[in-house]
Amino acid sequence: MAAGLLAHSPAAAEDTAVTDYTISVDADRTGPAIDPTMYGVFFEDINNAADGGLYAELVQNRSFEYSPVDNRSYTPLTSWQQTASGGATGTLQVVDDDGRLNERNRNHLRLNLSGTGGTTGRFGIVNSGYGAGMALKEGARYDFSVWARTDDAAGTRLTTELRSGDGTVLSEPLGIAVRGDRWTKYTGTLVPKVTTTAGRLAVTASGAGTVRLDMVSLFPRDTYKGRKNGLRKDLAEKIAALDPGFLRFPGGCLVNTGSHYAYEAPTWERRRSYQWKDTIGPVEQRAVNANFWGYHQSYGLGYYEYFQFAEDIGAMPLPVVPALVTGCGQNQATDDPALLKRHIQDTLDLIEFANGPVTSTWGRKRAEMGHPKPFGLTHLAVGNEENLPDAFFARFTEFRKAIEARYPQITVVSNSGPASSGAVFDRLWDLNRRAGVGLVDEHYYNTPQWFLENNNRYDSYDRTGPKVFLGEYASRDNRFSNALSEAAFMTGLERNADVVKLASYAPLLADVQKNQWRPDMIWFDNDRSWGSTSYEVQKLFMNNTGDRVVPSRASATPAVSGPITGAIGLSTWATSAAYDDVEVTGEDGTTLLKDDFSAGDSRWTPAAGRGTWAVADGAYVQSDETAENTLVTAGDAGWQNYDLKVKATKKSGREGFLVAFGVRDTGHHYWWNLGGWGNTRSAVEKTADGGKQTLLESPTTIETGRTYDVRVQVRGRQVTLYLDGQKWGSFTDDKTAEPFRQVVTRDKDDLVVKVVNAQATAARTSIDLGTANIASTARLTTLAGAPDAVNGADASPIQPRRSTLEGIGRNFTYTFPAYSVTFLRVKTR
């Protein structure tokens, strides 16, 4: 037994509530091979993941390029403050003129010095960094650089120092003599005397005349792998610790939103799709962009750095390029043959940049940046979550033909839209299948219940058709219950390793102070970082994947199910709508609720607390067309087997109306979303634990001013929906959310039995390993805890616990704790 590990007998301590299970392993048979690249990571600059996150630059807005185009609150001096001492005065102004450093990074700062401060006076600027400030460590070295020029023939003295928020100087000053009216890069090193998370960088000037500054930079010397223009070490190390098989980058919605035209005169478009040539070469020459997620994107972290990072962590690079069809709510196809041709050529140039010899145009560029050896690109994706399947696929086909003609060894990856099912998903899969596409990228973010219900999702996929790249998936929160549902789902991914060739949780990184999305795998502030409960699950699977699936079977949890039960509700989303003549009748015709609002709205309860509801002109009206999810409810949470009828009229706004049923509370209900997603389609959505999943959808849209007769019939777990007397659709919500899941893999000489118990009772399990040719001791790694547990900066309750299990044989019993993921590693002899 290894020192420091806990020893357990095969019959582990049992909880008072126990459910019995069996696991049978066919150790002498072999299942699908598991590719070493199966599990990877997906990086997108969402949640401030790049600037202020993985990219180690400490200066925010270093080139004075922030703009209201990026975020309405931004100015070119965001994160900068004026400072003066010793009686010095002056003015500062961000300018875009012919005196700029370069065309593609257009702004710079002009300091006009009055010269009244004598020999000791200084005037300049202070940068506050990201979040609370710059995280500085006592005695560490920080590399400073700035591009500067002066019109003072005698030169200008710059002084750079680290400060605290109250102005206290934290380092020895670094003096720089700026000479000449040509842009020159000046460098030096600063060493803080104290440790702080609220540091500042001051750059001040003394003398007279005008001095111009651009690209003011401060990098910790201690970046990941010590690289210049490098990555924040703690974040990069947490990613590397996952041992990812691939790195998908740079997005996501960044790739296929905004203009697809270049960053050039006369418009200098700042809302562009991510175009790789903008992001390479010297950082001071790289373009800037408005980030889709509402902030600024410097491109200091660009394609070269992504390729380098993939190599550093031993991951296969998997870039994504725009297909000239926008997604993520924009849903526009760019019809410009010349532009399409240019983007296809850019993609061919990207492959040459990654793989070409140093004698090629773009291979030489890679070598000039410091990497003569090719990066070994094998996979490239075109597009991301397009909602216009035919328009996307027509353009994808052009990319694919050109790439395969010149680089037949490259796997060109397509996608299936933004959801796990629906009309777009079905159409894209049909197009991909008929075209013989090799790999299709699926994305979905669903509830924990959906993940528990869909463990067998890939069991029925065509083994001879396109393979699956599950490029983005997660359960919608960061509690341990979410991670458990993801772990249960991952056992199904591994079982179907012949179909699911690549998989990556998303998103990867999130700034705890500025984020647009939850869940996330790794959280951080300006100084600390921590893995979520999902990070711990992903790490456990990624570090113990194995080479091949070993066939196995497990018994199921005794099913406990009943009819759909709950009250009813009305809601709107960015729309004003009126409802009237609500009637609910039981299966036997008994009237449960009848309301024409002639007596007011006393029978209705505001559930969401949003919107402006009032009775007007004999109807119940929600009049705020900016409010979202304005749910009001009526009736009994115990209702079942009923018919709901209501008249609904859209008055104004972007969408239609929502009619809810089976309402238990705001986090648990169904609703018929008519005219949703900008009035582009309609669907039935199920909300559980605050997350939604789509059960049924169609292209139905809603007309303003027209009154619709809406009817919902609930019978057991079957629901039938009628619109204006015509059957619109039906579904049966009867999938089992199985909490006990397992898969077995072979990892060299070890059998790895992976068991998820996502329920409140312990699982007493009789295990038959299918062979006596095993060691008598197994190594266990367990993640266990409360389902609502969340890992944080100060406490991370969900951490792996390692132990040993002694005295096992071919047959033994082990009790898996409630709410746990357990890996048993058994050495075969």
Side-chain angles (χ1 to χ4, degrees):
M1 181 175 63
L5 298 181
L6 301 176
H8 294 284
S9 63
E14 299 175 8
D15 294 355
T16 52
V18 176
T19 303
D20 288 313
Y21 295 91
T22 62
I23 294 176
S24 299
V25 181
D26 294 327
D28 295 330
R29 294 176 54 211
T30 58
I34 303 174
D35 292 349
T37 53
M38 179 172 181
Y39 290 126
V41 291
F42 163 49
F43 181 89
E44 179 176 13
D45 188 3
I46 182 176
N47 305 317
N48 291 76
D51 295 329
L54 184 61
Y55 187 49
E57 173 67 77
L58 296 178
V59 177
Q60 183 173 190
N61 191 18
R62 66 183 177 186
S63 58
F64 310 100
E65 296 289 341
Y66 276 33
S67 165
V69 175
D70 306 326
N71 186 292
R72 285 182 296 178
S73 67
Y74 285 176
T75 74
L77 283 171
T78 291
S79 295
W80 293 99
Q81 288 185 319
Q82 179 178 304
T83 184
S85 63
T89 60
T91 61
L92 53 86
Q93 182 183 13
V94 175
V95 294
D96 174 6
D97 61 19
D98 291 341
R100 68 178 65 86
L101 176 60
N102 60 70
E103 272 206 338
R104 295 168 67 76
N105 203 288
R106 300 181 61 78
N107 287 351
H108 65 277
L109 181 69
R110 187 168 62 200
L111 292 177
N112 298 307
L113 308 174
S114 67
T116 60
T119 59
T120 61
R122 290 187 283 157
F123 176 80
I125 52 174
V126 177
N127 189 270
S128 57
Y130 295 90
M134 299 176 182
L136 306 172
K137 291 181 172 57
E138 179 184 358
R141 300 172 71 83
Y142 295 83
D143 293 326
F144 169 79
S145 64
V146 63
W147 286 81
R149 57 187 289 192
T150 181
D151 65 1
D152 188 340
T156 299
R157 179 75 173 176
L158 287 185
T159 301
T160 300
E161 59 196 13
L162 300 175
R163 296 181 180 178
S164 65
D166 63 6
T168 302
V169 176
L170 304 180
S171 68
E172 293 296 329
L174 171 66
I176 295 173
V178 178
R179 297 190 181 278
D181 200 20
R182 295 181 62 183
W183 285 105
T184 303
K185 185 177 182 179
Y186 299 90
T187 63
T189 302
L190 294 167
V191 181
K193 298 176 182 178
V194 298
T195 295
T196 180
T197 58
R200 306 287 190 267
L201 174 70
V203 182
T204 54
S206 56
T210 298
V211 61
R212 300 170 185 255
L213 306 177
D214 205 352
M215 295 300 292
V216 183
S217 175
L218 187 70
F219 263 89
R221 179 76 58 84
D222 189 21
T223 59
Y224 185 64
K225 300 285 187 180
R227 300 204 178 278
K228 299 287 188 183
N229 194 53
L231 305 181
R232 180 171 150 177
K233 190 174 183 180
D234 63 320
L235 292 177
E237 287 178 341
K238 282 185 173 59
I239 297 169
L242 294 166
D243 192 21
F246 65 88
L247 171 65
R248 175 177 174 242
F249 63 88
C253 288
L254 298 184
V255 167
N256 67 333
T257 52
S259 167
H260 300 299
Y261 290 92
Y263 187 54
E264 60 188 10
T267 58
W268 299 102
E269 175 60 58
R270 282 284 287 267
R271 290 194 177 103
R272 308 183 314 285
S273 57
Y274 199 109
Q275 299 174 41
W276 78 272
K277 289 180 180 178
D278 287 343
T279 76
I280 63 168
V283 291
E284 68 273 8
Q285 296 177 17
R286 299 183 189 182
V288 296
N289 206 356
N291 182 288
F292 173 81
W293 299 106
Y295 51 92
H296 177 84
Q297 195 166 13
S298 76
Y299 286 150
L301 174 56
Y303 256 72
Y304 177 82
E305 289 76 24
Y306 285 125
F307 277 121
Q308 183 70 79
F309 185 45
E311 184 175 86
D312 283 345
I313 62 178
M316 176 184 78
L318 204 167
V320 186
V321 299
L324 277 68
V325 178
T326 56
C328 303
Q330 295 183 355
N331 302 333
Q332 297 290 325
T334 301
D335 188 13
D336 184 334
L339 184 63
L340 177 62
K341 184 177 180 181
R342 193 267 285 177
H343 274 269
I344 291 172
Q345 184 60 51
D346 281 354
T347 302
L348 297 174
D349 293 343
L350 170 60
I351 298 171
E352 183 176 286
F353 177 77
N355 292 352
V358 296
T359 54
S360 66
T361 299
W362 292 100
R364 183 182 307 112
K365 185 70 173 178
R366 181 194 68 242
E368 289 169 354
M369 293 186 70
H371 201 284
K373 181 182 176 182
F375 284 116
L377 178 67
T378 60
H379 291 65
L380 183 145
V382 177
N384 173 78
E385 295 188 7
E386 283 76 18
N387 257 318
L388 302 174
D390 291 275
F392 159 72
F393 205 77
R395 290 156 179 79
F396 169 83
T397 299
E398 295 302 310
F399 277 88
R400 183 186 177 202
K401 284 194 303 185
I403 294 168
E404 291 182 346
R406 185 174 300 183
Y407 299 106
Q409 73 278 17
I410 297 292
T411 298
V412 186
V413 183
S414 182
N415 75 79
S416 61
S420 56
S421 61
V424 170
F425 178 90
D426 292 341
R427 177 59 177 161
L428 278 170
W429 259 106
D430 181 55
L431 291 168
N432 284 306
R433 192 177 293 110
R434 284 195 277 164
V437 171
L439 197 59
V440 177
D441 188 3
E442 292 189 353
H443 294 179
Y444 38 82
Y445 299 91
N446 289 320
T447 64
Q449 181 169 334
W450 184 93
F451 282 98
L452 293 176
E453 290 173 348
N454 284 274
N455 175 274
N456 63 349
R457 174 182 176 89
Y458 296 106
D459 290 2
S460 58
Y461 270 49
D462 182 2
R463 264 51 197 170
T464 63
K467 304 304 181 184
V468 174
F469 170 24
L470 182 50
E472 297 182 35
Y473 73 99
S475 168
R476 290 181 179 267
D477 207 337
N478 270 151
R479 297 172 298 166
F480 189 42
S481 57
N482 299 90
L484 286 167
S485 71
E486 293 154 3
F489 189 72
M490 292 171 79
T491 66
L493 299 183
E494 292 192 1
R495 187 175 65 249
N496 289 283
D498 56 330
V499 169
V500 182
K501 307 306 289 184
L502 305 170
S504 50
Y505 177 102
L508 178 62
L509 296 174
D511 183 337
V512 72
Q513 294 181 330
K514 293 182 179 179
N515 54 81
Q516 294 80 17
W517 183 261
R518 186 184 186 95
D520 297 282
M521 196 191 295
I522 300 170
W523 290 83
F524 64 90
D525 58 23
N526 67 339
D527 182 49
R528 300 175 294 177
S529 60
W530 56 96
S532 67
T533 62
S534 293
Y535 173 84
E536 297 300 339
V537 162
Q538 293 291 325
K539 185 178 178 182
L540 187 57
F541 274 85
M542 293 168 77
N543 288 182
N544 297 276
T545 307
D547 307 314
R548 184 173 291 277
V549 177
V550 179
S552 60
R553 299 171 304 283
S555 59
T557 305
V560 178
S561 184
I564 292 174
T565 304
I568 64 164
L570 308 171
S571 188
T572 61
W573 198 289
T575 304
S576 173
Y579 297 94
D580 202 0
D581 296 334
V582 179
E583 184 176 3
V584 182
T585 57
E587 187 177 15
D588 61 358
T590 304
T591 299
L592 303 176
L593 173 71
K594 194 167 186 176
D595 198 346
D596 62 5
F597 301 101
S598 59
D601 62 359
S602 60
R603 303 179 75 172
W604 296 83
T605 300
R610 290 181 288 272
T612 304
W613 288 92
V615 175
D617 299 324
Y620 199 23
V621 179
Q622 198 293 109
S623 57
D624 183 352
E625 66 177 56
T626 66
E628 298 178 346
N629 189 10
T630 63
L631 183 67
V632 293
T633 62
D636 190 329
W639 281 351
Q640 53 188 255
N641 298 321
Y642 57 80
D643 286 69
L644 163 63
K645 297 178 182 178
V646 60
K647 295 184 183 298
T649 308
K650 173 183 176 178
K651 298 175 70 67
S652 63
R654 297 202 310 265
E655 303 203 352
F657 34 81
L658 300 114
V659 176
F661 54 97
V663 179
R664 289 189 281 147
D665 53 49
T666 54
H668 298 84
H669 59 76
Y670 302 80
W671 67 23
W672 190 1
N673 187 350
L674 285 156
W677 298 274
N679 202 19
T680 60
R681 57 192 174 102
S682 299
V684 177
E685 297 178 283
K686 177 181 178 180
T687 297
D689 297 319
K692 288 186 290 189
Q693 59 177 286
T694 299
L695 302 178
L696 187 68
E697 73 169 275
S698 87
T700 302
T701 58
I702 297 300
E703 299 174 22
T704 301
R706 174 182 166 186
T707 297
Y708 292 82
D709 288 318
V710 179
R711 177 186 168 201
V712 180
Q713 182 186 76
V714 181
R715 296 292 184 270
R717 301 205 66 80
Q718 184 175 25
V719 178
T720 308
L721 306 111
Y722 300 86
L723 191 63
D724 288 337
Q726 301 296 312
K727 183 177 178 180
W728 182 86
S730 65
F731 66 91
T732 302
D733 184 21
D734 60 355
K735 284 189 175 181
T736 300
E738 173 58 61
F740 185 80
R741 293 291 188 183
Q742 59 77 38
V743 70
V744 180
T745 63
R746 188 177 295 280
D747 188 2
K748 298 183 177 61
D749 294 330
D750 294 351
L751 285 178
V752 186
V753 181
K754 309 171 186 182
V755 177
V756 181
N757 184 29
Q759 61 185 328
T761 60
R764 183 170 51 207
T765 308
S766 175
I767 301 173
D768 180 355
L769 292 178
T771 178
N773 189 29
I774 57 171
S776 61
T777 300
R779 289 179 289 157
L780 277 74
T781 305
T782 304
L783 298 171
D788 289 334
V790 175
N791 285 353
D794 298 315
S796 291
I798 304 303
Q799 294 292 317
R801 181 171 57 89
R802 295 175 177 84
S803 58
T804 60
L805 184 62
E806 297 181 338
I808 66 171
R810 171 174 176 151
N811 296 284
F812 65 98
T813 297
Y814 183 77
T815 300
F816 296 95
Y819 301 120
S820 67
V821 182
T822 306
F823 281 28
L824 294 91
R825 183 175 282 271
V826 184
K827 188 167 292 295
T828 57
R829 296 178 293 188

